[in-house]
Amino acid sequence: MTAPSGKLFKYLAGGVPVVAIDITGFKFIEDFECGVLIKSLQEEEIRRAVVTVRENYNQYVENAVKAARYLVLTVH
């Protein structure tokens, strides 16, 4: 419930911004601004998150790669 999936880190390493549900294990997504956290899986909330990512796509891509690098280097 609080631990992110390994797939998430592969997406970030590939420069793919993410939209994820707001749980403790995903707090770093907000901290690194590499995606958007949502409170519920309601269609409108997901749509708003996707629009936010698209409006700032290049910044989210850069931050995704930075987050992946930082997390890989500090975990090992």
Side-chain angles (χ1 to χ4, degrees):
M1 195 68 184
T2 60
S5 164
K7 289 181 191 178
L8 180 73
F9 297 106
K10 291 181 182 182
Y11 298 150
L12 296 176
V16 178
V18 297
V19 172
I21 195 75
D22 188 3
I23 61 172
T24 303
F26 289 155
K27 175 78 169 88
F28 71 91
I29 292 171
E30 272 187 350
D31 294 343
F32 284 96
E33 297 180 353
C34 57
V36 176
L37 295 180
I38 57 176
K39 300 286 184 197
S40 74
L41 297 176
Q42 297 295 317
E43 181 180 349
E44 188 53 38
E45 190 165 1
I46 295 168
R47 185 184 333 275
R48 279 193 304 270
V50 170
V51 167
T52 298
V53 169
R54 291 181 76 179
E55 288 174 346
N56 304 289
Y57 185 74
N58 291 334
Q59 186 67 38
Y60 281 108
V61 168
E62 289 176 26
N63 290 343
V65 173
K66 288 178 187 176
R69 283 189 189 130
Y70 176 83
L71 294 168
V72 167
L73 293 175
T74 59
V75 172
H76 290 94

